[in-house]
Amino acid sequence: MLSAEIHRNGLPKSIAAMNPFSEKNTNISLAHEFLSLSSSWSLDIDSKEFAKKLDDEDPLKEFRKRFHYPKKKGLSGVDSESLVDDNEECIYLCGQSLGLQLKTIKNTLQDVLYDWASRGVECHFNGYLPAAFCDVPIKDKMAYLVGAQREEVAIMNGLTVNIHMMLGTFYNPTSEKHKVLMLAGGFHSDLYAVQSHVSMRGYDPEDSIIFLNPRKGEYTINPNDIMQVIEEEGHSISLIFLEGVHYYTGQLFDMKEITAAGHAQGCIVGWDLAHAVGNVKLKLHDWKVDFAVWCTYKYLNSGPGSLGAIFSHSRHTQGVNGVLPSMAGWWGLPDKKKFAFEREFCPSEGADRFRNSNPSPFLSTMVLANIEVFREAGLERLRKKQRLLTGYMEYLIETLFPCDETRRPQIQIITPSNPNMRGSQLSLVSSVPISMFEDNLKSKGVLCDARKPSVIRVTPIPLYNTFTEVYEFVHILKNLFCDIPYTES
């Protein structure tokens, strides 16, 4: 344990007095921040009192009350005899897979249902969220989240369908430039879609897909290696299609730099932002990204299977020479043309030309309600809390699981330690199989994501997770590891 008395020595008073959520702290190391706060508050960093103090100081703490939080009693595998009462909440660290439900969703869904029940077909054009225009109110707010112009964003389909839609349009291989650059170990939605499009164009995926791999003995991909591959192989690469944040390791890639490097080699650059939207800072328009796709059920909390979205840079959809979708649908027409039944496809302005069918108002209202919460909370405030929340988990794990040369079971963080190279997620690799402690984690009411044999993904979400939860999780994990048998070296 690190005591506040020790921390007090040698720390400037100006640092010790800082507000942890102040924007002035962004250039101070996380470890230094926690040490200074420990000194200022006379509390051990590794103490529940310190965690509760961070929660007390949190300007976003009231947002947690807006979400339904799973109760332990309703979860599989929880030790019912250990429950204090039926309302005891779990420790939910799985927001990278599925965000929690906003309490107001029920009311907004009821409004849409009422319009359908009371208006019939007229609910398409009247009511709380007219079905024919239900995606329109989302566009401005979604553009704000991803750093785009309004016309560059379209709300449509699910993630994998949108990947196919965009690959069908933007992957145009030639005999000289037919390769696709991807991440090794990326999510299979991306891989299967790319493999199918490469094959449909008459090329062999074994020859036409280049995979970016970590260096031997490492988990994350060295940024220099990405730039080197683009420079050396760019002459043969038609498309660069990467994850903005790697789903497995939590590594955040420099989208601006990679996009610029790809463009310098004449490549189209697209991004899967499933683990980036609502999680990290995005400026898709300024970075000149060609296209991007994402879902809304992870960090955007819009519910299982909810609507996805796309980005297509305005330079691709302006004027008579703008790109046309390879698979056109009637909802890609301007509103005034939708019922004209003309033979020729006349595209909507901007990314809306990629739409095929009218989106569901039920799913649209779920996306809309959650994006409004993001805007109210403020992206900068969310990022400041994210930096501290994930940093606090990192600090405690490194303190309670120090590297040593014994055979004691260990946990190692494989997500980059630099806050500028990650979002909320930390991926932890265990020296023993997850199967040795996964059930015990569940019995304690901890929900996180196990990637067997040895990795767990844990994600404290700024909108609804607390520093106290982070403290409790790390200590539960530590206690479980202390119970795992091992042999001294």
Side-chain angles (χ1 to χ4, degrees):
M1 302 292 182
L2 298 174
S3 72
E5 191 64 37
I6 294 174
H7 299 165
R8 200 172 288 117
N9 294 333
L11 283 173
K13 291 182 179 179
S14 59
I15 294 178
M18 285 192 302
N19 180 329
F21 296 92
S22 169
E23 60 185 77
K24 296 179 180 179
N25 287 14
T26 54
N27 293 323
I28 306 296
S29 74
L30 284 165
H32 203 175
E33 283 185 60
F34 294 131
L35 290 171
S36 67
L37 291 170
S38 176
S39 171
S40 177
W41 297 340
S42 297
L43 295 171
D44 289 342
I45 300 174
D46 182 19
S47 70
K48 186 172 286 190
E49 291 73 20
F50 183 85
K52 287 182 177 179
K53 179 66 172 174
L54 284 170
D55 286 329
D56 290 340
E57 297 290 323
D58 176 16
L60 300 177
K61 59 187 176 185
E62 295 300 315
F63 280 87
R64 177 186 172 95
K65 297 176 183 177
R66 301 190 185 189
F67 291 87
H68 287 291
Y69 221 84
K71 303 294 191 293
K72 288 183 179 181
K73 71 170 186 176
L75 303 178
S76 60
V78 172
D79 179 10
S80 59
E81 295 183 0
S82 68
L83 297 181
V84 175
D85 57 54
D86 288 347
N87 291 319
E88 188 176 356
E89 295 176 343
C90 75
I91 296 177
Y92 193 84
L93 296 171
C94 214
Q96 83 290 330
S97 292
L98 182 66
L100 294 182
Q101 185 185 128
L102 193 66
K103 291 179 179 178
T104 57
I105 286 295
K106 185 176 182 179
N107 292 334
T108 57
L109 279 173
Q110 287 178 337
D111 289 339
V112 176
L113 286 167
Y114 175 80
D115 284 337
W116 177 25
S118 62
R119 300 174 187 271
V121 70
E122 289 192 356
C123 76
H124 279 103
F125 304 102
N126 298 288
Y128 161 71
L129 193 64
F133 313 112
C134 60
D135 58 328
V136 174
I138 305 174
K139 287 172 65 70
D140 284 328
K141 297 175 174 63
M142 190 69 81
Y144 162 76
L145 281 183
V146 301
Q149 296 175 355
R150 183 181 187 277
E151 67 272 13
E152 294 175 322
V153 171
I155 315 301
M156 61 189 216
N157 308 321
L159 175 60
T160 304
V161 173
N162 286 337
I163 293 174
H164 280 293
M165 295 286 291
M166 303 311 278
L167 290 180
T169 301
F170 285 99
Y171 176 53
N172 295 299
T174 66
S175 58
E176 293 80 21
K177 289 178 76 70
H178 57 87
K179 296 183 179 180
V180 181
L181 182 63
M182 303 187 69
L183 301 176
F187 203 78
H188 282 180
S189 291
D190 298 26
L191 176 63
Y192 297 154
V194 168
Q195 286 175 335
S196 64
H197 281 267
V198 168
S199 296
M200 283 191 292
R201 302 310 201 286
Y203 296 94
D204 184 350
E206 291 293 324
D207 298 327
S208 294
I209 300 179
I210 302 173
F211 290 105
L212 292 165
N213 286 280
R215 295 179 181 181
K216 185 175 181 180
E218 299 180 3
Y219 289 92
T220 57
I221 298 172
N222 190 298
N224 293 328
D225 294 346
I226 301 175
M227 306 309 288
Q228 182 177 346
V229 170
I230 293 174
E231 183 176 351
E232 293 178 354
E233 302 289 341
H235 65 281
S236 66
I237 295 174
S238 172
L239 171 67
I240 297 171
F241 185 51
L242 308 178
E243 298 173 31
V245 174
H246 195 297
Y247 91 98
Y248 187 78
T249 66
Q251 179 180 6
L252 167 62
F253 296 97
D254 190 332
M255 288 176 260
K256 178 182 179 181
E257 185 177 76
I258 292 171
T259 299
H263 287 167
Q265 296 290 333
C267 310
I268 291 289
V269 184
W271 293 92
D272 179 342
L273 303 179
H275 290 267
V277 173
N279 183 27
V280 299
K281 189 173 186 177
L282 297 169
K283 291 187 175 183
L284 300 184
H285 177 82
D286 291 349
W287 296 341
K288 296 180 172 58
V289 168
D290 291 298
F291 73 88
V293 293
W294 60 93
C295 55
T296 61
Y297 56 81
K298 299 179 186 294
Y299 294 92
L300 297 189
N301 312 307
S302 297
S306 194
L307 283 170
I310 66 162
F311 166 90
S312 177
H313 200 281
S314 57
R315 68 180 181 277
H316 292 303
T317 55
Q318 289 177 336
V320 294
N321 294 321
V323 65
L324 293 177
S326 62
M327 293 170 280
W330 81 299
W331 216 252
L333 297 172
D335 289 338
K336 62 183 179 180
K337 293 279 189 177
K338 281 188 172 68
F339 291 96
F341 300 110
E342 297 175 352
R343 284 178 176 267
E344 184 179 353
F345 179 78
C346 176
S348 291
E349 291 294 325
D352 279 349
R353 67 185 56 197
F354 290 96
R355 299 182 302 174
N356 271 198
S357 303
N358 57 309
S360 162
F362 309 106
L363 297 180
S364 294
T365 191
M366 296 170 76
V367 177
L368 179 61
N370 280 283
I371 295 185
E372 287 175 340
V373 172
F374 268 82
R375 192 143 199 170
E376 183 180 347
L379 294 184
E380 290 306 314
R381 291 203 302 173
L382 286 167
R383 290 184 185 114
K384 289 169 192 173
K385 181 178 176 180
Q386 176 202 70
R387 180 175 176 272
L388 285 170
L389 195 60
T390 299
Y392 186 52
M393 179 179 285
E394 176 187 44
Y395 190 100
L396 291 179
I397 289 173
E398 291 182 345
T399 299
L400 296 180
F401 292 90
C403 295
D404 57 39
E405 297 181 359
T406 69
R407 295 182 183 177
R408 185 186 302 275
Q410 290 293 322
I411 283 286
Q412 175 190 351
I413 300 172
I414 62 175
T415 306
S417 60
N418 183 346
N420 296 321
M421 296 180 66
R422 70 184 186 207
S424 295
Q425 174 183 327
L426 289 182
S427 294
L428 316 178
V429 62
S430 168
S431 62
V432 297
I434 293 172
S435 57
M436 295 184 70
F437 60 89
E438 182 181 9
D439 288 345
N440 288 329
L441 267 181
K442 289 181 179 179
S443 74
K444 303 290 185 183
V446 175
L447 276 180
C448 55
D449 181 63
R451 297 283 159 167
K452 294 179 179 179
S454 58
V455 169
I456 57 174
R457 300 186 301 160
V458 288
T459 306
I461 301 295
L463 271 175
Y464 51 73
N465 280 124
T466 66
F467 292 90
T468 302
E469 283 180 299
V470 166
Y471 172 86
E472 291 174 345
F473 163 73
V474 177
H475 277 267
I476 288 172
L477 191 63
K478 178 63 176 178
N479 291 336
L480 293 180
F481 266 61
C482 287
D483 292 337
I484 297 175
Y486 73 99
T487 304
E488 291 281 5
S489 59

